[in-house]
Amino acid sequence: MNLMIYNYFGEKILKIMIRLLFNSIICVFISVVCLSCKTDVKNDTKKTIPNLIVIMADDLGYVDVGFNGSVDIPTPNIDRIANNGVKFTNGYTPYPVCSPSRAGFMTGRYQQRFGYERNVQYRTDDPNMGLPNSENTIPEILNQAGYTSGVVGKWHLGAHISKHPLNQGFDSFFGHLGGGHRYFHEELVIKDSYSINDESMSYRTWIMKDHTPVKIEQYLTDEFSDQAINFIEENQKDPFFLYLAYNAPHGPLQATQKYLDRFDDIKDKRRKIYAGMVSAVDDGVGRILDQLQALGIEDNTIIFFLSDNGGPETKNASNNGPLREGKSSIYEGGNRIPFAMQWKAEIAPMVYDFPISSLDILPTIAELSGATIPSDKPLDGVNIIPYLKGEKEGRPHHTLYIRKYDEDLYSVRDGDMKLVTKKKNSIKELYNLSEDLGEENDLATKRPNEVKRLDSLRQSWNTELIDPVFLGLIHTDAWKKRSKTQP
Ligand code: CA
């Protein structure tokens, strides 16, 4: 009986042991398979989804980069992007001043569709002053595809906490909330960015790291370059989006001796400082490109370099070359800007002459990443990659528009013809940009049918827009006072 019991339990134990061993082998097998699947997915993701870096300068003139012909300000590092990839000769932003231009870029939509048509006031107490939270931003779209997104530099899409980059889809922020900043660290004396509601004071706040004020100890442009490098270092293993929004070379004109010393040949004092500021940006771009190379991720990183609007030549001594007027204008100097991109893995070096827009950056990266665009917010930008690869022919945009509500100004570029309308549409000018880049030869009286055709495009687009939803910088007392003293 005892022997039978022993045999019975012995057999049971043996069976249990065999089952345990079998289960363990299965578990190990499944784990190995899963691990290799995961590794494959990760490798595939890393291989196919590109990183995105957008380097946006502020108020940079059209010819103030080497790749557009700058003679007195060499930009060898920014030029590397154009030489490695695409130089866009007809690169535009959707508006000729900072804040609305950035709202369009960040959403891929004409910002007038959601009432963003004025430079925002620095108002930390107004939740309506800035980019509506209902719009979809680039980091919100890329979040679906597993990107980590950071902004370094100038935000300028609203100073209320609800508009903070971390509340608009970004994972990290190092910068200032307002439209500009002083560059020398000893001039940044206001610790709490939320303690003020004034444009000029906002230029003197401490820098914010996420939600925390930090005291910096070097020239602001160099600080932003360092922080961009840190972000790339920390996020190199996963797909990332870095929006590096240098506030340079927007005023005030301030450069350190290190950069001024490079421009002994420039005798104009303001131009010399401006050149130093651009040179500091160029150094930062060079360090970023070197770092991407050293980390082995340069090939599959898409890098855009552009300005947010044209140069305000009389204010910061920038140079728009042959283009008419500058920042704030609806002529070409207002929003045709230095624009280049590289994506070494996919795009061969070229010059691209058809018009493209900063509105195109969101749809381009969205499609490459496999993210979907919510259908209730249709985009105005397009994915430009098939055009650059020659898979699609013709123009990415046949028509591009500007409306400036407060001044009742419009421009319509259709093909190479451009209509400008002013004063409740009573003045109409027509230019052929393919032969008249400087917009000097008004063809309106010679080609009335063309005026009519472009004007009907303008009217049709206008019906899709809404009125501005917040007041702008021009409505502040400080601005009105300044306008009275400076005609
Ligand atoms: Ca600007």
Side-chain angles (χ1 to χ4, degrees):
M1 182 68 182
N2 282 349
L3 192 65
M4 275 177 70
I5 290 171
Y6 177 81
N7 279 347
Y8 174 77
F9 281 107
E11 207 173 297
K12 264 277 199 213
I13 289 166
L14 192 68
K15 273 186 183 169
I16 288 169
M17 283 181 70
I18 290 171
R19 196 177 298 149
L20 279 173
L21 188 67
F22 180 73
N23 285 349
S24 303
I25 290 169
I26 293 287
C27 277
V28 170
F29 178 73
I30 290 172
S31 302
V32 168
V33 169
C34 284
L35 200 67
S36 65
C37 284
K38 207 175 169 187
T39 311
D40 277 356
V41 168
K42 208 168 180 195
N43 282 345
D44 277 359
T45 304
K46 273 180 85 173
K47 196 174 150 199
T48 54
I49 297 184
N51 302 311
L52 172 66
I53 300 178
V54 176
I55 304 172
M56 189 177 284
D58 195 353
D59 290 10
L60 180 66
Y62 184 72
V63 299
D64 288 330
V65 287
F67 71 82
N68 274 358
S70 174
V71 178
D72 58 345
I73 309 175
T75 56
N77 293 300
I78 298 169
D79 297 350
R80 279 162 70 183
I81 298 174
N83 293 333
N84 288 335
V86 190
K87 168 186 156 178
F88 297 103
T89 56
N90 285 253
Y92 290 94
T93 55
Y95 205 81
V97 302
C98 314
S99 190
S101 163
R102 287 157 199 262
F105 148 70
M106 194 59 79
T107 59
R109 286 154 55 77
Y110 280 117
Q111 60 288 340
Q112 296 98 333
R113 293 192 187 282
F114 45 89
Y116 204 125
E117 203 163 343
R118 292 165 174 152
N119 245 343
V120 284
Q121 299 172 10
Y122 189 90
R123 291 284 297 274
T124 58
D125 58 351
D126 185 352
N128 294 316
M129 182 69 71
L131 184 63
N133 294 72
S134 54
E135 290 296 317
N136 303 303
T137 62
I138 298 175
E140 284 167 348
I141 298 287
L142 292 182
N143 194 28
Q144 300 168 47
Y147 280 66
T148 300
S149 299
V151 51
V152 173
K154 162 171 164 170
W155 179 236
H156 209 204
L157 290 170
H160 187 267
I161 192 156
S162 64
K163 308 300 181 199
H164 186 284
L166 266 55
N167 293 322
Q168 294 279 30
F170 282 96
D171 300 296
S172 68
F173 172 53
F174 186 96
H176 55 88
L177 297 173
H181 230 64
R182 303 191 76 82
Y183 296 86
F184 296 140
H185 61 94
E186 60 273 20
E187 295 182 13
L188 310 183
V189 293
I190 299 166
K191 185 175 178 182
D192 180 4
S193 293
Y194 293 112
S195 65
I196 49 162
N197 281 295
D198 176 89
E199 185 70 13
S200 68
M201 297 297 275
S202 77
Y203 278 49
R204 293 178 175 274
T205 63
W206 285 23
I207 296 304
M208 288 178 84
K209 183 177 170 56
D210 294 340
H211 290 294
T212 310
V214 293
K215 207 169 172 44
I216 62 163
E217 293 178 350
Q218 63 175 334
Y219 185 57
L220 187 58
T221 300
D222 295 340
E223 180 71 27
F224 286 157
S225 300
D226 283 356
Q227 294 295 331
I229 300 247
N230 289 347
F231 177 88
I232 295 166
E233 180 79 31
E234 283 167 15
N235 295 288
Q236 57 176 297
K237 292 207 167 64
D238 296 310
F240 66 79
F241 163 42
L242 168 63
Y243 172 35
L244 172 54
Y246 285 112
N247 59 311
H250 189 292
L253 289 172
Q254 293 182 317
T256 53
Q257 202 58 43
K258 170 184 166 185
Y259 297 114
L260 293 173
D261 284 347
R262 296 177 184 177
F263 298 99
D264 281 346
D265 291 346
I266 299 182
K267 299 302 169 205
D268 180 273
K269 198 181 160 203
R270 294 169 69 250
R271 178 75 178 168
K272 181 173 176 159
I273 303 171
Y274 173 86
M277 295 166 81
V278 174
S279 201
V281 170
D282 188 68
D283 274 21
V285 172
R287 289 175 56 209
I288 288 162
L289 292 175
D290 290 346
Q291 183 205 24
L292 294 170
Q293 263 173 11
L295 296 173
I297 55 173
E298 189 197 15
D299 283 8
N300 204 27
T301 298
I302 297 178
I303 307 164
F304 283 97
F305 178 88
L306 71 163
S307 179
D308 65 337
N309 48 252
E313 293 175 321
T314 55
K315 286 187 179 167
N316 70 350
S318 52
N319 181 7
N320 297 318
L323 306 184
R324 182 166 171 179
E325 299 188 356
K327 178 179 182 177
S328 174
S329 169
I330 53 168
Y331 294 109
E332 292 291 288
N335 74 325
R336 192 195 286 214
I337 38 99
F339 208 141
M341 76 159 297
Q342 73 169 66
W343 185 16
K344 278 187 168 177
E346 296 285 337
I347 304 293
M350 70 175 87
V351 175
Y352 193 78
D353 292 321
F354 282 146
I356 59 110
S357 167
S358 63
L359 296 172
D360 299 333
I361 295 175
L362 183 149
T364 296
I365 194 66
E367 202 162 318
L368 293 171
S369 72
T372 51
I373 307 292
S375 57
D376 62 328
K377 309 275 186 198
L379 302 180
D380 294 299
V382 296
N383 176 9
I384 56 172
I385 300 299
Y387 294 94
L388 300 178
K389 286 186 170 180
E391 295 163 2
K392 278 190 182 172
E393 288 185 356
R395 295 168 179 257
H397 297 270
H398 208 273
T399 317
L400 287 169
Y401 305 90
I402 302 178
R403 180 182 80 175
K404 291 190 82 184
Y405 182 90
D406 291 314
E407 295 149 85
D408 203 9
L409 296 170
Y410 292 82
S411 77
V412 182
R413 176 174 178 173
D414 187 65
D416 287 331
M417 299 305 293
K418 177 169 168 182
L419 176 74
V420 168
T421 76
K422 303 175 184 174
K423 296 196 174 167
K424 301 213 179 299
N425 210 19
S426 63
I427 298 175
K428 294 189 176 78
E429 300 166 8
L430 184 73
Y431 301 101
N432 183 348
L433 295 174
S434 67
E435 54 193 40
D436 179 21
L437 183 58
E439 297 168 282
E440 292 170 323
N441 184 18
D442 180 5
L443 304 170
T445 49
K446 285 185 193 154
R447 302 182 62 177
N449 288 341
E450 194 66 353
V451 170
K452 212 169 164 185
R453 189 179 71 78
L454 266 66
D455 201 38
S456 77
L457 291 173
R458 178 189 72 81
Q459 287 176 38
S460 167
W461 176 69
N462 198 38
T463 61
E464 299 171 12
L465 313 180
I466 64 170
D467 289 352
V469 295
F470 54 79
L471 295 176
L473 207 51
I474 56 167
H475 302 103
T476 57
D477 291 341
W479 185 279
K480 286 176 193 162
K481 206 184 283 174
R482 205 179 76 175
S483 303
K484 269 184 194 164
T485 52
Q486 296 176 7

